[in-house]
């Protein structure tokens, strides 16, 4: 059994290809649907402390948290204990 920490975002885990692809996708989103940077960072701070985060993905919904948190109309997918 591995003792690797999975409580991190993709770029922190060294998943450079996937992280780069996620960043490239976010860069294609229209500016008017993106959350501002302060909102994004606040959302990500909750995700990083969440038990459902594993290697940049939310086990509650299967999304990449960096994408979900960047879109301003999105909410935390944990409907019973929503963080943002």
């Amino acid at each position: 059994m591995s003792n690797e920490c999975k409580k991190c975002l993709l770029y922190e885990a060294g998943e450079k290809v996937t992280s780069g692809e996620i960043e490239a996708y976010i860069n294609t989103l229209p500016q008017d649907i993106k959350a501002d940077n302060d909102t994004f960072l606040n959302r990500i701070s909750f995700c990083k402390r969440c038990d459902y985060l594993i290697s940049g993905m939310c086990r509650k919904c299967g999304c990449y948290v960096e994408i979900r948190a960047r879109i301003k109309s999105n909410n935390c997918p944990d409907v019973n204990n929503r963080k943002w």
Side-chain angles (χ1 to χ4, degrees):
M1 182 173 184
S2 174
N3 289 332
E4 289 181 44
C5 174
K6 297 293 185 183
K7 292 281 297 167
C8 51
L9 302 175
L10 289 170
Y11 75 90
E12 295 169 333
E15 303 287 343
K16 294 186 187 314
V17 172
T18 304
S19 179
E21 291 171 352
I22 297 297
E23 186 176 341
Y25 173 76
I26 289 170
N27 288 335
T28 68
L29 296 173
Q31 202 61 33
D32 62 323
I33 71 162
K34 290 183 186 179
D36 62 72
N37 206 46
D38 287 339
T39 300
F40 170 75
L41 293 174
N42 183 53
R43 290 174 173 185
I44 287 295
S45 73
F46 283 107
C47 293
K48 287 182 71 171
R49 296 187 308 260
C50 182
D51 291 336
Y52 292 110
L53 177 67
I54 185 163
S55 296
M57 291 183 74
C58 175
R59 291 184 303 153
K60 201 69 166 162
C61 70
C63 74
Y64 288 110
V65 297
E66 286 136 308
I67 294 173
R68 186 175 194 95
R70 183 54 79 179
I71 298 172
K72 66 180 163 187
S73 63
N74 285 345
N75 295 307
C76 171
D78 188 356
V79 296
N80 296 320
N81 190 22
R82 204 163 257 152
K83 307 289 190 293
W84 49 269

